[in-house]
Amino acid sequence: MRRINPKYIRIAGITVLVLVVIMLIGGYVAYSKREVLLQKAIYKAKAKAKRDYNLDVKIGSAKFTGLSTVAFTDISVVPFQRDSLLNIKNFSVSVKLLPLIFGNIKLADVILQDGFLNLTSIKGVKNFDFLFKKKKDTTNTGNKVDLSVLSNNLINEVLYKIPDNLSLHNFRMSFVDDSTKVKMLAQTAIIKGGKLASTINVNDGDATWHIDGKMVPSDKDIDVHLYADGKKVELPIIQKKFKLKLNFDTISTKLSNVKNSSGETRIYGSWSVRNLLLNHPGLSVSDIVVPYGSIDANVFVGSNYVSLDSSSVIHLKKLTANPYLKYTLNPVKIYEAKVNTGWVNAQDVFDSFPTGMFESLDGIRVTGKLNYSLNMFMNRAHLDDMVFDSRLQKDGDFKILKYGRADLGKLNSTFVYTPYEKGKPMPPHTIGAGAANFTPLENISPNIRNAVMTAEDPSFYTNRGFVDESIRKSIITDIKEKKFKRGGSTISMQLIKNAFLSRNKTLSRKIEEILIVWLIENNRLMSKNRMLEVYFNIIEWGRGIYGISEASHYYFGKSPSELTIGESIYLASIVPNPKAGLYAFQPDGSLRQGLHGYFNLIGRLMAKKGLTQPDTSAYGFYSVRLREGLRQTIAPIDTAVADSLMHQSEDDDAGGVGVAAPVFEEPKKPGLFQRLFGKKDTTEAKMEKRIEETNDAIKARLKLEIEKVKADYKLKVDNVDTAGRTKKEIRAEKNRLKDEGKAKVNELKDRMP
């Protein structure tokens, strides 16, 4: 082994000694000048807060009390022309020296006593809107932000700001807006030896919360739990703001590790909740309770994407599933989602449903195995190429042993159907042979059967209750239009919705509808003919009109077997919005011109399949005449208003998987001779009364629209974004919104008859 030349050893020793001396001298100089440096740092921080965020920061005193400990008193932060934001009586902080040498600030000890954080949002003016102010980046070179680096730095910054030891006493927090006030008092919060314990008083004694658990931020090891003494943790502010009732026994958050390598930051953690209760008009009509749910989440962040890796696991009672989510930000936005449960016991699937979510299926007993999978891929630059595949598979042993609350086989025999309107039951209808107004399938004209299937569900006899391509196109259309515009319901889905479920527009009802359709279609609980027969006998065809027998007699004074091709296409056109059916007619009983194109479309599709003869006269459009006795209820009405009423569907599933609902156009105005010699009602007083009644209905609807516009614009004015705006700019924006709202209200008033 070659010996090192003693000369080099001496040189190295001297170099190290010189460096140590320099560090000692530098340390002494820094130590002796630290008070001056501290005051300079405070001055710069105040100036920056004033310049960048318009904050007035005051500090009563600040001084070193140890080698690396600084004590502050009487700290206050007040945004310009806003309520005071923060006040702290005593605050002491010390940093670790070793990380500081390498330029990292890692908190070692923090002591805080008697503090008050006050958040206000009054009439749209927030005292914390500086948090959302965008800073101008003069160093921006146009390069994309690396999300992997950004997330890793952000996590480290947050973890470094959690002290190894914390002693907090009497820290008050308050949030006040125009309708809500929440107060919290953190009586104590202690971190010592890697353990966190705290006591939080909520709304002057309404509840006492605790946050405790393991807290070792330097090792990226955090496992904390939030719970309340003797009751659930409740969040009334969420209920007031979002109409969402939410409470739980315990919620836990765990961070296991954070790694950064090969251009990717990997965050390993988990979240869990016990006895979670949710209630929202959009979710369910009753409380939804999740006894236990959790997710072992492995979040991977790359240079341009954020993903939930497929190694993550969702736990819901007895059910587990592997989700995969990925959002790519650039160069184009791409959304990916996959879920796979694998083959699991079918009963475990139904037992894992949250309580209160599915009423009709509650108590169902099954055997065999099920497997659910979802695959979705959407590139915003190529929406039409979106991939959507959602399927539930069963094995050969799957069977229904016992129905739940709803007898899924009841539609095979005579049963009583009770329709509901706005939660109120309508007169019941007996559906079955021999019942009044019941029409067997063979007595329903092929014209109406084929017209409705063409418009609503062309593949009814071959699909299993779902048309994947139609659902995919519905999603694409809804995304493009930024609203639920296109329905994707098959005849099977519409039947189940009417026969088993309420009209409540909730997410749980929609999922339950899908499950019942799957159970009936995939286990052949009903024949297709019977499904179509029941469908025609229970669906709504007008206000208070149920079943094809009532519809054909009401509109045309004839039986379902006598319906012509034109009458059938008309009836098919009103299925998505039956209550507006009469607005399609003019006072003389003829159809409005806007339906002409719809007749040609449906007729040609039927002719192409050999379901009717080709016709150059719009497939009976000109021969359709409303029953004469019903024409007396039709008063002249502006076509634009009629079109608006025709399109205002009360059903979230309006429109099936076939042809879209008709679009009405303005008909030509009658000529001079028509106005002079056109047919008039001999009973002028009755006609004036009918006109008045129709006008009253129009006025009532327009008044509702006016009130909605007023409410919408009041909300907009009250919640104007104040971030980065001067008081003058905020006032100008509010005035602009007020003027815009007034203009829309006046426009609606001008349409009053």
Side-chain angles (χ1 to χ4, degrees):
M1 185 176 186
R2 184 178 179 183
R3 292 183 61 188
I4 299 176
N5 192 322
K7 177 182 177 181
Y8 297 139
I9 295 176
R10 287 195 298 272
I11 293 173
I14 293 171
T15 303
V16 171
L17 181 61
V18 170
L19 288 174
V20 170
V21 171
I22 291 173
M23 289 177 66
L24 288 174
I25 294 172
Y28 172 76
V29 172
Y31 183 80
S32 62
K33 299 289 185 180
R34 59 184 183 157
E35 291 292 347
V36 175
L37 295 174
L38 174 63
Q39 297 305 321
K40 285 185 177 180
I42 291 174
Y43 176 80
K44 288 182 179 179
K46 286 182 177 181
K48 180 178 177 62
K50 188 74 173 178
R51 181 184 66 251
D52 293 348
Y53 302 107
N54 223 353
L55 298 176
D56 183 14
V57 179
K58 294 181 179 179
I59 299 175
S61 67
K63 60 182 179 179
F64 278 93
T65 59
L67 183 63
S68 60
T69 302
V70 181
F72 301 87
T73 62
D74 299 323
I75 302 172
S76 69
V77 179
V78 181
F80 180 67
Q81 294 185 339
R82 301 283 196 275
D83 291 335
S84 176
L85 178 67
L86 178 67
N87 289 280
I88 299 176
K89 186 66 177 175
N90 295 294
F91 179 63
S92 176
V93 58
S94 64
V95 299
K96 288 189 172 183
L97 292 177
L98 187 59
L100 188 62
I101 293 174
F102 295 98
N104 296 320
I105 300 176
K106 175 71 177 75
L107 301 186
D109 301 286
V110 169
I111 299 173
L112 191 153
Q113 292 181 329
D114 301 322
F116 180 36
L117 175 63
N118 178 45
L119 304 174
T120 62
S121 178
I122 307 299
K123 295 182 179 179
V125 179
K126 302 177 180 66
N127 72 338
F128 53 91
D129 54 6
F130 68 91
L131 296 171
F132 311 107
K133 181 180 179 181
K134 293 183 178 180
K135 293 188 293 183
K136 295 180 180 179
D137 186 1
T138 57
T139 63
N140 185 13
T141 61
N143 296 326
K144 298 292 184 181
V145 175
D146 189 321
L147 295 181
S148 173
V149 175
L150 179 65
S151 60
N152 186 60
N153 292 341
L154 181 61
I155 291 171
N156 286 330
E157 282 293 315
V158 172
L159 293 178
Y160 276 11
K161 298 307 179 284
I162 300 175
D164 290 340
N165 297 294
L166 169 69
S167 177
L168 181 148
H169 296 277
N170 296 323
F171 186 81
R172 293 182 297 136
M173 295 164 282
S174 174
F175 174 78
V176 180
D177 67 4
D178 298 323
S179 61
T180 310
K181 185 174 183 179
V182 178
K183 295 188 292 182
M184 292 185 181
L185 170 61
Q187 296 171 318
T188 61
I190 307 295
I191 299 177
K192 189 173 183 180
K195 293 183 178 180
L196 166 68
S198 67
T199 300
I200 303 171
N201 184 299
V202 182
N203 288 335
D204 297 325
D206 284 354
T208 301
W209 292 359
H210 298 281
I211 302 176
D212 62 24
K214 183 190 294 186
M215 181 67 71
V216 189
S218 56
D219 293 338
K220 298 181 175 66
D221 187 6
I222 297 173
D223 187 3
V224 296
H225 318 279
L226 169 63
Y227 59 94
D229 279 345
K231 60 190 298 186
K232 288 177 174 289
V233 175
E234 297 181 331
L235 302 170
I237 186 172
I238 294 180
Q239 185 169 359
K240 287 184 178 180
K241 289 290 185 183
F242 307 106
K243 297 181 180 180
L244 171 64
K245 181 181 178 182
L246 185 153
N247 60 56
F248 51 84
D249 284 351
T250 306
I251 191 166
S252 302
T253 300
K254 183 176 182 179
L255 176 67
S256 301
N257 203 354
V258 179
K259 298 179 180 179
N260 181 266
S261 63
S262 303
E264 188 174 64
T265 297
R266 299 188 173 192
I267 307 162
Y268 300 90
S270 64
W271 291 265
S272 65
V273 65
R274 291 189 179 277
N275 292 323
L276 172 67
L277 183 147
L278 300 168
N279 189 307
H280 186 276
L283 290 175
S284 175
V285 295
S286 58
D287 292 344
I288 296 176
V289 179
V290 181
Y292 177 77
S294 69
I295 177 171
D296 300 323
N298 300 327
V299 179
F300 295 172
V301 184
S303 60
N304 66 336
Y305 65 84
V306 179
S307 69
L308 179 67
D309 191 67
S310 58
S311 58
S312 305
V313 184
I314 295 174
H315 305 269
L316 188 63
K317 288 188 181 179
K318 302 175 183 179
L319 187 64
T320 62
N322 295 101
Y324 171 77
L325 302 172
K326 186 176 182 180
Y327 172 46
T328 303
L329 282 77
N330 53 69
V332 294
K333 290 182 172 61
I334 298 175
Y335 305 84
E336 299 173 68
K338 294 181 181 180
V339 177
N340 187 22
T341 63
W343 288 99
V344 296
N345 289 328
Q347 190 60 51
D348 287 348
V349 174
F350 289 95
D351 288 345
S352 297
F353 292 151
T355 305
M357 192 166 182
F358 304 136
E359 293 182 4
S360 298
L361 295 176
D362 187 28
I364 191 171
R365 307 301 299 174
V366 296
T367 186
K369 292 184 179 295
L370 294 173
N371 177 32
Y372 175 73
S373 61
L374 166 71
N375 181 25
M376 190 275 285
F377 180 92
M378 182 178 71
N379 184 326
R380 288 289 303 196
H382 304 284
L383 270 179
D384 292 333
D385 297 328
M386 186 185 82
V387 174
F388 182 83
D389 181 23
S390 174
R391 62 184 63 197
L392 181 63
Q393 298 171 287
K394 64 171 186 173
D395 69 359
D397 296 327
F398 180 85
K399 292 180 182 177
I400 301 175
L401 304 177
K402 176 181 174 293
Y403 294 131
R405 291 186 183 181
D407 179 2
L408 302 186
K410 75 173 185 178
L411 304 188
N412 285 316
S413 57
T414 300
F415 67 97
V416 176
Y417 168 62
T418 303
Y420 280 79
E421 288 294 335
K422 297 181 179 179
K424 296 181 179 179
M426 297 290 103
H429 290 63
T430 300
I431 309 299
N437 290 325
F438 176 79
T439 308
L441 188 63
E442 60 268 21
N443 292 339
I444 299 175
S445 169
N447 289 324
I448 181 65
R449 280 188 273 160
N450 293 328
V452 169
M453 281 191 288
T454 299
E456 294 293 305
D457 190 356
S459 63
F460 169 71
Y461 275 101
T462 57
N463 65 50
R464 287 293 186 90
F466 308 98
V467 180
D468 294 340
E469 179 61 14
S470 179
I471 295 174
R472 189 186 74 86
K473 288 182 177 178
S474 296
I475 295 173
I476 293 171
T477 301
D478 293 341
I479 292 172
K480 287 180 177 179
E481 300 293 334
K482 296 182 180 180
K483 60 182 179 180
F484 294 106
K485 184 174 182 179
R486 174 183 172 127
S489 293
T490 60
I491 284 178
S492 302
M493 295 170 73
Q494 295 177 47
L495 171 64
I496 298 311
K497 177 190 66 179
N498 282 279
F500 293 104
L501 304 172
S502 67
R503 288 291 186 94
N504 297 302
K505 302 175 184 179
T506 64
L507 177 63
S508 61
R509 192 223 76 187
K510 188 65 180 179
I511 297 175
E512 188 172 24
E513 172 190 317
I514 292 170
L515 284 171
I516 293 176
V517 170
W518 184 89
L519 287 168
I520 289 177
E521 286 275 11
N522 286 272
N523 293 278
R524 303 190 182 279
L525 301 183
M526 292 178 67
S527 69
K528 286 287 190 177
N529 281 344
R530 176 61 178 172
M531 292 178 76
L532 195 62
E533 181 178 74
V534 174
Y535 173 81
F536 272 106
N537 278 278
I538 69 171
I539 66 170
E540 184 181 13
W541 298 87
R543 198 172 296 277
I545 308 301
Y546 295 91
I548 188 60
S549 179
E550 290 185 13
S552 58
H553 285 93
Y554 176 76
Y555 289 106
F556 305 116
K558 58 175 63 174
S559 68
S561 62
E562 301 172 313
L563 291 171
T564 66
I565 184 67
E567 293 163 344
S568 297
I569 294 177
Y570 160 74
L571 289 173
S573 76
I574 68 172
V575 170
N577 190 10
K579 288 184 175 62
L582 286 177
Y583 289 105
F585 291 99
Q586 301 187 87
D588 66 354
S590 62
L591 290 168
R592 293 182 178 275
Q593 190 65 30
L595 265 176
H596 186 274
Y598 181 80
F599 268 63
N600 270 326
L601 177 59
I602 297 296
R604 287 168 184 165
L605 289 172
M606 292 174 64
K608 189 176 180 180
K609 294 182 179 180
L611 303 176
T612 189
Q613 294 297 317
D615 184 0
T616 58
S617 299
Y619 296 89
F621 171 81
Y622 297 104
S623 64
V624 176
R625 286 293 182 275
L626 185 66
R627 177 170 57 88
E628 189 168 355
L630 200 57
R631 297 177 202 172
Q632 298 173 5
T633 66
I634 305 296
I637 181 173
D638 180 74
T639 301
V641 176
D643 293 352
S644 175
L645 296 174
M646 283 290 292
H647 282 89
Q648 291 178 10
S649 172
E650 298 181 4
D651 197 327
D652 57 340
D653 297 323
V657 299
V659 179
V663 176
F664 292 86
E665 300 170 352
E666 178 71 34
K668 294 180 180 179
K669 294 182 179 180
L672 175 63
F673 289 97
Q674 285 178 299
R675 293 198 299 270
L676 291 175
F677 303 107
K679 184 177 179 181
K680 296 182 180 179
D681 193 331
T682 55
T683 315
E684 187 173 342
K686 287 184 179 181
M687 174 58 75
E688 289 178 354
K689 183 179 179 181
R690 287 191 293 275
I691 293 173
E692 183 179 348
E693 289 174 348
T694 303
N695 288 343
D696 287 343
I698 297 170
K699 287 179 182 178
R701 187 174 290 276
L702 287 173
K703 284 180 180 178
L704 289 175
E705 291 184 24
I706 289 171
E707 292 303 316
K708 184 177 184 302
V709 169
K710 288 181 177 179
D712 289 344
Y713 273 86
K714 183 179 184 304
L715 187 64
K716 289 180 180 180
V717 171
D718 291 343
N719 292 277
V720 166
D721 185 11
T722 60
R725 293 181 175 179
T726 64
K727 199 170 183 179
K728 183 177 179 181
E729 289 172 336
I730 294 171
R731 188 165 53 250
E733 177 63 8
K734 288 186 176 183
N735 289 335
R736 185 192 69 79
L737 288 170
K738 288 178 181 178
D739 292 339
E740 185 176 299
K742 287 179 182 178
K744 292 199 174 185
V745 167
N746 290 334
E747 181 182 344
L748 290 170
K749 286 181 178 179
D750 291 339
R751 290 169 55 185
M752 286 285 188

